[in-house]
Amino acid sequence: MTWTVTAERFDSPDATALRRDYYDEVASRYWQRPATAAEIAQGLADDGADLLVPPTGRFVVGRHEGKAAGCAGLVLTEEAAPGSAELTRVYVRPAFRSTGGGGLLLAAIEEEARALGVRLLRLDTRLDLVEARGLYAKHGYGEVRAFHRRNPYAEVWFAKEL
């Protein structure tokens, strides 16, 4: 089973579908019911994904056996902390979990970050996103004190020195 991870625009067809699936899962878990198509569209309408392109960020798509299976984004946050960036929209479709893709997505986005001179990657997440928290811990991200309050849904924060 082969994974490939490549940089891709956040608005390509595969990236858009992955971002939609990501939002569907996190919203549905939060509301404890399936998110509606209208709720998903509203959530994606002004989600800041336009920052996931140079010079403000990057986006990668992972494919398993050629099928779009996961994604990860990076947003430069120099104004908050010099040499830092925020990891965002890390997602692996359920059918492809436990196949190594999450670690490959993190490695690819970390490589993109290093190439941009980033020395510290930070992220926020929620307590109910157990798989994500496990992935971050497994790959060297440690829990840290809150570094912002922009995301009203954030409950736990992680960081990793590159």
Side-chain angles (χ1 to χ4, degrees), residues 57-159:
R58 301 291 187 274
F59 194 76
V60 297
V61 170
R63 289 181 173 77
H64 186 267
E65 298 295 320
K67 295 182 178 115
C71 60
L74 172 77
V75 177
L76 299 177
T77 56
E78 284 289 321
E79 72 286 346
S84 71
E86 199 163 324
L87 184 62
T88 185
R89 293 170 188 81
V90 177
Y91 177 69
V92 176
R93 286 179 166 147
F96 301 100
R97 292 182 185 158
S98 298
T99 63
L104 293 172
L105 288 165
L106 291 177
I109 212 71
E110 289 169 7
E111 185 178 319
E112 294 278 343
R114 283 186 194 96
L116 294 168
V118 171
R119 297 180 308 278
L120 178 68
L121 267 179
R122 305 181 313 176
L123 65 102
D124 64 56
T125 190
R126 295 193 329 246
L127 292 172
D128 64 324
L129 299 176
V130 177
E131 302 90 342
R133 290 179 25 239
L135 175 70
Y136 302 136
K138 178 179 178 181
H139 291 279
Y141 289 79
E143 199 169 323
V144 297
R145 290 180 44 189
F147 52 83
H148 68 69
R149 297 281 181 198
R150 290 187 312 270
N151 179 355
Y153 304 104
E155 297 173 309
V156 62
W157 291 259
F158 287 88

Side-chain angles (χ1 to χ4, degrees), residues 10-71:
F10 73 93
D11 56 357
S12 73
D14 282 342
T16 297
L18 285 161
R19 288 180 33 251
R20 178 173 294 283
D21 288 355
Y22 161 83
Y23 192 81
D24 183 8
E25 182 168 339
V26 298
S28 295
R29 282 192 187 195
Y30 182 78
W31 291 321
Q32 298 179 0
R33 62 163 174 80
T36 67
E39 289 167 334
I40 295 167
Q42 181 181 5
L44 292 171
D46 190 24
D47 70 346
D50 56 322
L51 295 174
L52 299 172
V53 296
T56 54
R58 301 291 187 274
F59 194 76
V60 297
V61 170
R63 289 181 173 77
H64 186 267
E65 298 295 320
K67 295 182 178 115
C71 60

